[in-house]
Each structure stands twice: as structure tokens, then as C-alpha cells.
Amino acid sequence: MTLTDSFQFYSTVYWNVSVTDNSGTVNADCTRQSGNRFNATWPIKPQNITCTAEDQYGNAALCFFSVTVYDEENPEIMCPSDFNVTTDAGLPTSFINWTVSYTDNTDDLYDVTVTGSGASYNQSGEAFPIGTTTLKYTVTDVFGNNESCTFMVIVKDKEPPVPSCPSLVTGVTDEGKPNGTVSYNLNVTDNVQVAMFSTNYTDIDPDNIIIDNASAVFDTTGVFMVGETIIEYVFTDNGSPTGNEATCYVTIQIEDQEKPEIIDCPMDITVNTTNGEPVAVNVTWTEPTATDNSGETPEPESDYTSGDNMFVIGGTTVQYNASDSSGNFNDRCSFTVTVEDNEPPGITCPTNVTSNNYIDESFGIVQVSTDEGSPNATVTWDQSVTSDNSNENVTVVSSPYQSGDMIPIEISSIVIFLMATDPYGNEGTCEFVIQVQGKSYMVFK
């Protein structure tokens, strides 16, 4: 038994066959010579050698032996260096090509196997998942000698998610609220899977709907204040060794279109003119207030102020308006201030009552005598003096006689009534007395 020479498929074998003979020196002749090379064979079997020795007299002798060559030298195998790669674009894997080389002294390999965690990747051009996969290759020759090598395929995901966010989302305030509720979708794709997102705005209600491992839709509802709110969304995937991030921004624009509400709008008011004036001054009422969904307290405005005003006779509409900071306008509060003139006009009876037959005036009674040849006396008097708070014309009517009438002889005095009436039906009176007789006289009252 002998082993193959190092790195060779054969063994160089040396031997010595000795011969003795009574006749002297005799040499042996063998079928193979010492120092010959003997190949390793499979199956393993002995290689027989016959040696013959013959003397000069023709006497011969034989001997036999065998050489069995064993191969105990392991094959040599060469794996590639470790692969440290990233995922292929848009994929959760990376396709890897490699070459494993091996040699053996016999040039007669029996089997090559792959073991370990990479046993399923037994050929080049496979797609490797994110993470570390260890491949172990073992080569075995026909004699059962084997050698192994290992290498790792390290796949990292450095591809960030790709979000699609609306740039602008608009809405209006909820009824009676200082903020508005809006809904919108956030779409994101990734070569692996989006694990989560974070945002700088807390008052949102995301509903994550996973479509598949590489796509997600976040149906988002949020409550936002009036004005502009910019939200930053950061999406993180399940990439290795750490999650990859991508950012998008959504601008939320909430408008306040709700009018302020005016509370306790006054009822219509009816007042009299201020004594001696054609107007009513300093009319009072309870000022209305206003509320707004924004939380502001708008101050209703009007051209008139309670307790500091002046209203002419008739009806005047008082209008209150309220506005909020968003420019919403409410003009639904109005009431009427009606000023009535219930003050009678002033009238002063005339002091100059005359007649062609004037007799005398005593104790306010004007006495006149009848006209010559007549039972009557013609009496005249000056126009009465009138005044009214309305500063409008006053109508004066005398009764039962007018200035210039012929007044008959009366046993008793005649009272002349003067009635002044303003345009609003208010009346003022005065009176004076005339007596017509043989000797007439007139009394003022």
C-alpha cells in the first residue's frame, strides 16, 4: 500500500528484489521496474508485479507482489470573497453571480455539494434576500476526500420609500368650530415594505391600508386650525440594517366661512320727542353682543350708540354689523327707533283786538258797540303767536268767529277759542272774550 505523491494522481514506488543461486549471481527481471509510477485507480485495486530469475543452466524462479495506490489527498476548492451588496433597484433582493473553482490531484471529481444556510442557492445567478446568507461548498473526489469553503452574501436595503403626498389640501371650519376636519390619502411605495410613518402634527387619525409588500395607502383624517398648517411626514421602511427614510410635506389650508352670530338684537323702540325738541335724544337700549366659531368675541358696530344719539321724528333703522378676523360679515341685526311727537304746540292769544266802535277793555273783556245801523259789531284781531317743538308749520283755527267777522249783540260775553294744530295732530288752545252791546267791552283771558 502506498499513497499518491503530493498533488499527483500517481505514486512513485521503489522496491528491491534479491536473488540467490548456487551458481553465482543471478538478476531478476520484473514486469514493472522499481521507480515506476503507479496511478491511483477507482475502484481501488492492487496492481500485480511478477519478477522472474533464471540462472545460466536454465533454472528459473518466480515471485509475485502487488502495489495498491491510495489517494488520501483532499481536493482544493476556492470560493469567492464575501459579497456586500445593496438590493437591486425596486426589488427586495439582489441578483448575485459567482464562480467556485476546485481541483484535485486525480482530476476525477466525484461530487460537489452546497451546504449550510445557503443550501438552496446551488448555482450562480440567484436572487438573495435582505440580510446575510452563508453558502458552504464541499467538493468530494471519488476516494471520498473532501474539502469545503464558505462565503457570505450580505444584502442591504438602502433604497428609501417613495411617497406621494398631496401638496395642498383645503377645507372649511366645522360648523360652530374654530377648526376644520379634512381627509386625504398618502401613497407610498417601497422595494420592501413601509413599516410606519411619523409626523410633526399629532391631531391626525391615520388608517394604514397595506396593498402589498411594496405599496401602502394611508387614509388620513385630521383636525386643523384656521389658516395654513404644514405637515411633515417621514416614512420608514423595514430596510436593513436600519430603516430607510423618505419625507414629504402636505400643506393644509382651512378657511373660516362661518359668519359671527349677533345675540340679543334689540326689539323695535318707540319714544317721544325730547321736551321742546324736534328730536329724541339719548335713547337707550341694551347693546347686542356677538360670538364666533373662531373663539373670537367680535364687537357689533353701528352708526348709533345707546344713550348717546339723536333720532328725528319718524322711524329710523338702527343697523348692527359684526365681522370676524376672517372677513365674515353679519348684518342681520336691525331694529327701528320710532320717534313720536306728542307735544302740543304753544299758542298765545292776540293782544290787539279792535273795532270801529271800540269801547273799552276791563278785566280782560273787550267791549265794543254795534256798527252804526247794525245789530252786529265788526271785530278784528291780530294773528296769534304760535310755537312748536317740531319746527314745522302750525295751523290756527278760531271758533266760533274769525277775525273780521260781524259779531252780534250778545247778552253775555262771547268766548273766542283759538286752536293750534301741528302736523302730528297735537293741539294747543287759547281763548279771549268779546262782548257786543250798546256799550261793548272785551276781556282777554
Side-chain angles (χ1 to χ4, degrees):
M1 172 186 170
T2 183
L3 298 177
T4 55
D5 296 346
S6 180
F7 303 110
Q8 303 298 328
F9 65 91
Y10 55 83
S11 175
T12 304
V13 181
Y14 297 91
W15 65 83
N16 183 35
V17 177
S18 61
V19 180
T20 61
D21 187 69
N22 60 338
S23 64
T25 301
V26 176
N27 295 320
D29 185 17
C30 299
T31 54
R32 298 288 299 271
Q33 303 301 315
S34 176
N36 283 176
R37 297 173 178 177
F38 290 82
N39 293 337
T41 61
W42 183 259
I44 299 173
K45 60 183 180 180
Q47 300 179 47
N48 297 321
I49 301 170
T50 302
C51 293
T52 304
E54 185 176 351
D55 61 16
Q56 57 185 332
Y57 302 105
N59 300 308
L62 299 173
C63 73
F64 305 93
F65 64 93
S66 63
V67 174
T68 303
V69 180
Y70 289 88
D71 178 16
E72 294 183 355
E73 187 172 335
N74 291 333
E76 291 184 355
I77 186 169
M78 180 66 69
C79 284
S81 300
D82 293 341
F83 289 88
N84 200 325
V85 297
T86 59
T87 52
D88 296 336
L91 296 176
T93 58
S94 180
F95 285 86
I96 304 297
N97 291 287
W98 67 88
T99 300
V100 176
S101 60
Y102 37 82
T103 61
D104 188 62
N105 62 320
T106 64
D107 290 330
D108 190 7
L109 300 180
Y110 176 68
D111 194 15
V112 178
T113 59
V114 182
T115 60
S117 60
S120 60
Y121 300 94
N122 55 14
Q123 61 183 357
S124 178
E126 296 284 348
F128 286 80
I130 296 169
T132 300
T133 303
T134 301
L135 289 85
K136 179 180 180 181
Y137 276 85
T138 301
V139 61
T140 305
D141 64 17
V142 293
F143 299 99
N145 304 304
N146 62 76
E147 187 66 40
S148 299
C149 68
T150 61
F151 66 96
M152 292 185 296
V153 176
I154 303 169
V155 180
K156 297 179 181 178
D157 176 22
K158 294 186 177 181
E159 186 172 338
V162 181
S164 176
C165 297
S167 59
L168 178 64
V169 177
T170 60
V172 297
T173 52
D174 300 334
E175 184 176 357
K177 301 292 184 179
N179 41 43
T181 303
V182 295
S183 298
Y184 51 93
N185 287 336
L186 308 173
N187 296 278
V188 61
T189 59
D190 189 63
N191 63 321
V192 183
Q193 180 177 329
V194 175
M196 69 178 100
F197 75 81
S198 61
T199 176
N200 61 335
Y201 197 84
T202 57
D203 196 10
I204 58 175
D205 183 18
D207 183 13
N208 183 7
I209 305 172
I210 299 296
I211 298 177
D212 55 43
N213 284 343
S215 180
V217 176
F218 297 91
D219 185 10
T220 304
T221 299
V223 179
F224 302 90
M225 298 300 294
V226 172
E228 183 178 275
T229 302
I230 299 178
I231 305 178
E232 178 187 68
Y233 288 96
V234 180
F235 296 91
T236 306
D237 66 11
N238 287 324
S240 173
T242 59
N244 302 298
E245 292 184 348
T247 302
C248 72
Y249 296 89
V250 178
T251 298
I252 308 295
Q253 186 72 51
I254 300 296
E255 293 184 5
D256 178 12
Q257 298 179 355
E258 190 169 334
K259 296 179 179 180
E261 180 180 357
I262 300 178
I263 302 174
D264 297 329
C265 188
M267 303 292 290
D268 292 342
I269 299 172
T270 300
V271 295
N272 291 324
T273 53
T274 301
N275 188 36
E277 300 292 337
V279 295
V281 296
N282 300 331
V283 180
T284 61
W285 59 83
T286 301
E287 299 272 3
T289 59
T291 61
D292 191 60
N293 64 308
S294 65
E296 302 171 2
T297 306
E299 187 72 27
E301 297 180 350
S302 175
D303 291 337
Y304 297 91
T305 302
S306 174
D308 183 16
N309 50 58
M310 181 177 68
F311 292 92
V312 298
I313 296 170
T316 301
T317 298
V318 178
Q319 176 74 50
Y320 274 91
N321 304 319
S323 299
D324 62 19
S325 59
S326 297
N328 299 303
F329 184 75
N330 188 337
D331 59 355
R332 297 177 182 173
C333 173
S334 64
F335 60 96
T336 300
V337 175
T338 302
V339 178
E340 296 181 349
D341 180 8
N342 292 315
E343 186 174 335
I347 184 169
T348 302
C349 282
T351 58
N352 184 22
V353 180
T354 62
S355 173
N356 291 334
N357 300 299
Y358 177 79
I359 299 175
D360 193 9
E361 178 182 349
S362 177
F363 301 104
I365 300 174
V366 177
Q367 293 181 352
V368 297
S369 62
T370 58
D371 295 342
E372 184 177 352
S374 172
N376 303 306
T378 301
V379 182
T380 61
W381 54 83
D382 293 342
Q383 186 176 353
S384 58
V385 178
T386 60
S387 64
D388 192 59
N389 65 313
S390 67
N391 293 328
E392 298 187 30
N393 292 331
V394 176
T395 302
V396 179
V397 177
S398 63
S399 177
Y401 297 100
Q402 305 292 321
S403 175
D405 284 352
M406 297 182 70
I407 301 175
I409 294 174
E410 296 286 348
I411 296 176
S412 62
S413 301
I414 297 173
V415 179
I416 305 297
F417 289 94
L418 298 179
M419 179 177 292
T421 306
D422 66 15
Y424 304 101
N426 301 304
E427 299 176 344
T429 62
C430 72
E431 60 185 44
F432 59 93
V433 180
I434 298 175
Q435 188 168 33
V436 179
Q437 56 184 358
K439 289 183 179 179
S440 59
Y441 60 93
M442 183 166 42
V443 176
F444 287 94
K445 181 178 180 181

